Amino acid sequence: MENYSGENRCAADFMDIASLRDVQLSRLQKIVAHAYKNVEFFRNRMDEKGITPEDIKSLTDIQKLPFSKKVDLRDTYPFGLCAVPMSEVVRLHASSGTTGKPIVVAYTKEDLDVWSEVMCRGLAGAGLSKNDIIQIAYGYGLFTGGLGAHYGCETLGATVVPASVGNTRRQVMLMRDFGVTGICCTPSYFLHLIEQADIYGIDMRELPVRVGIFGAEPWSQGMREQLEKGAGIEAFDIYGLSEIIGPGVAIECSEHSGMHVFEDHFYPEIIDPDTGEVLPDGEFGELVLTTLSKYAMPMIRYRTRDLTRIIAEPCKCGRTIRRIDRISARSDDMFIIRGVNVFPSQIESALLTVPGVSANYLIILTTEKGMDNIELQVEMSPEAFSDQVKVLEDLQRNISRAVESVIGLRIRVKLVAPQTIARSEGKAKRVLDQRIKG
């Protein structure tokens, strides 16, 4: 694993394509053989399809392997997918388990080294170096965000401020007093920090912070513009998920034209979410990932439910590893209203084209007289806050039209005063489903 100083570049990011494909195939063959030998679940799934590790002779042969899904981790909770004895497991993480049993993931020491490496490569690609002071405002503990970013920053050689989440006043104080130049957190929480700093009489744009690494929730280009304008920073989108390794699967470079996948460690595919058919690079579909070097709990063709596309064209930064487009939505975030498929990200994108509104909103789904409806609660920006009825009516109308132009449905818009919608210190909750079931 390389030690980055900011001037250094990781050779793996710039590897020639033929050499990269050779690395991927060698690692794929080893990880499939490892999973087949040590995980009954994968062995049974492959046996059902009549596939053995020896059948993986080329990268295209990955398509012969069965998919895995989140439900598989729940069904084998807690350690049914472990491929090494517990004596070799040095770390366990888990999801919040809000929809049932938590997702448990395990790491060997070598797995943690890979995680630290890819996070470090991502941070270096975002222009951070050992000369930076980086505040981590992701949650520590079982959530992978905090420690994943922490180890990456330490590998980079940067000074780490492990602030975790919460205590917003202290977060702002630390940023100011420590001269923080980079921050890692959810985009919605950083927006909250900007708002609170203003209340405390601190202009975030006057602080040294220059880079924000934002992930753990979908966010739009409109949100990026608000964050960059509000704090005078450059915002970078980072992608990851606990089932694969945590944050660090992919991240933007300074070109901001998609997120580079560290595909020497994570092999990406795009499939049709309905048929499972593999789609060519450039077409939108569901992202499927295979871990090529994670041995405690390897994941083979894991269906992420995240919708994106692979960008194979060369990036101006010179990296040869492919990119994925901004995650446009999660297939399991979609809700259907009057026969129309709607994603929260569509509503956010439309909303943030309207002047006078903030990026704080709540989508409430209701049922009235047997028909499902959408109510969109939107905070006005302090500048646009007014008690003039015509001003409010015009703003409501503009929001309604903007959303309708994107999703094709007329929705109810309710304007609320600044600081009215509850903030989250973790992932923002954007949808409240109050529909009558049955």
Side-chain angles (χ1 to χ4, degrees):
M1 185 166 56
E2 301 183 40
N3 185 28
Y4 298 86
S5 65
E7 297 79 30
N8 294 339
R9 307 189 306 176
C10 178
D13 292 347
F14 300 87
M15 195 185 306
D16 70 87
I17 300 300
S19 298
L20 175 59
R21 298 292 174 257
D22 287 343
V23 168
Q24 289 174 320
L25 177 58
S26 174
R27 289 179 174 177
L28 175 65
Q29 290 170 329
K30 290 178 181 177
I31 205 70
V32 169
H34 175 69
Y36 185 85
K37 177 182 177 181
N38 296 294
V39 184
E40 182 181 9
F41 170 85
F42 285 121
R43 185 166 56 252
N44 291 342
R45 285 281 180 91
M46 289 175 64
D47 287 348
E48 289 171 5
K49 293 176 70 72
I51 302 297
T52 66
E54 291 71 28
D55 293 318
I56 307 303
K57 296 180 171 62
S58 69
L59 282 174
T60 56
D61 288 336
I62 195 173
Q63 298 178 29
K64 299 176 181 178
L65 296 169
F67 293 114
S68 53
K69 301 178 181 179
K70 181 173 286 191
V71 66
D72 298 327
L73 284 100
R74 291 204 172 102
D75 289 347
T76 56
Y77 172 89
F79 306 131
L81 295 186
C82 265
V84 298
M86 290 304 294
S87 59
E88 295 181 25
V89 172
V90 299
R91 175 89 64 78
L92 293 172
H93 280 285
S95 70
S96 59
T98 55
T99 56
K101 289 182 179 178
I103 299 301
V104 177
V105 288
Y107 303 79
T108 64
K109 175 62 172 65
E110 291 73 21
D111 294 339
L112 292 183
D113 288 343
V114 169
W115 194 9
S116 300
E117 175 199 328
V118 293
M119 275 300 303
C120 178
R121 286 162 64 178
L123 295 167
L128 293 164
S129 75
K130 66 179 182 181
N131 300 314
D132 283 291
I133 301 172
I134 305 174
Q135 185 161 321
I136 300 173
Y138 284 122
Y140 280 66
L142 290 177
F143 175 60
T144 54
L147 284 169
H150 185 115
Y151 276 64
C153 291
E154 287 191 342
T155 303
L156 185 68
T159 302
V160 183
V161 182
S164 193
V165 297
N167 201 334
T168 301
R169 181 182 288 273
R170 185 185 63 178
Q171 297 270 6
V172 175
M173 180 193 73
L174 293 176
M175 292 179 69
R176 180 194 63 194
D177 296 350
F178 290 3
V180 168
T181 55
I183 187 165
C184 302
C185 62
T186 63
S188 58
Y189 188 58
F190 190 67
L191 181 67
H192 181 48
L193 289 177
I194 294 172
E195 293 172 339
Q196 292 302 302
D198 185 60
I199 292 173
Y200 307 148
I202 298 172
D203 187 343
M204 196 82 82
R205 293 169 296 185
E206 296 179 356
L207 300 184
V209 62
R210 60 183 181 82
V211 171
I213 308 295
F214 303 123
E217 63 188 23
W219 54 297
S220 65
Q221 181 62 27
M223 174 73 89
R224 181 200 298 275
E225 292 168 1
Q226 288 214 3
L227 298 178
E228 292 187 334
K229 181 180 178 182
I233 63 165
E234 186 176 2
F236 290 82
D237 197 359
I238 188 170
Y239 174 77
L241 58 167
S242 298
E243 300 94 308
I244 298 302
I245 203 164
V249 173
I251 190 173
E252 287 181 319
C253 66
S254 57
E255 295 296 327
H256 300 286
S257 58
M259 293 179 284
H260 289 279
V261 180
F262 297 111
E263 56 174 322
D264 51 322
H265 293 292
F266 316 108
Y267 189 80
E269 301 174 85
I270 298 293
I271 65 169
D272 182 311
D274 296 321
T275 67
E277 175 191 1
V278 176
L279 301 176
D281 289 353
E283 291 195 22
F284 277 92
E286 180 184 343
L287 178 64
V288 172
L289 291 168
T290 297
T291 58
L292 300 178
S293 51
K294 186 166 184 282
Y295 278 81
M297 194 175 281
M299 295 307 300
I300 308 297
R301 303 196 80 198
Y302 183 76
R303 296 188 58 164
T304 67
R305 297 295 181 186
D306 291 320
L307 304 179
T308 184
R309 67 184 178 109
I310 291 176
I311 305 170
E313 293 77 21
C315 182
K316 292 180 181 178
C317 75
R319 287 174 176 80
T320 53
I321 49 176
R322 289 174 293 176
R323 291 161 286 155
I324 54 173
D325 215 336
R326 174 185 291 275
I327 302 299
S328 59
R330 286 184 57 86
S331 59
D332 49 4
D333 282 344
M334 183 188 76
F335 51 86
I336 302 175
I337 299 292
R338 291 171 241 156
V340 177
N341 296 344
V342 180
F343 293 96
S345 57
Q346 292 176 299
I347 293 178
E348 178 177 300
S349 296
L351 172 66
L352 294 182
T353 64
V354 180
V357 299
S358 80
N360 293 302
Y361 64 92
L362 180 64
I363 299 166
I364 302 177
L365 308 179
T366 61
T367 303
E368 297 176 16
K369 298 180 179 178
M371 182 176 293
D372 291 342
N373 294 290
I374 303 175
E375 177 180 287
L376 178 61
Q377 293 188 4
V378 182
E379 280 187 13
M380 290 177 287
S381 65
E383 299 78 21
F385 188 57
S386 172
D387 57 1
Q388 296 182 24
V389 174
K390 185 178 187 309
V391 172
L392 299 180
E393 289 178 344
D394 287 345
L395 187 54
Q396 283 179 309
R397 192 178 302 111
N398 291 339
I399 295 171
S400 181
R401 286 173 177 169
V403 174
E404 184 177 5
S405 69
V406 172
I407 68 173
L409 289 174
R410 182 75 56 86
I411 69 169
R412 181 184 304 152
V413 176
K414 180 180 180 182
L415 299 176
V416 298
Q419 302 292 319
T420 309
I421 295 174
R423 293 343 188 225
S424 172
E425 294 174 350
K427 299 182 181 183
K429 184 173 179 59
R430 297 298 194 190
V431 180
L432 181 60
D433 193 345
Q434 298 180 336
R435 289 176 293 179
I436 298 173
K437 304 296 191 294

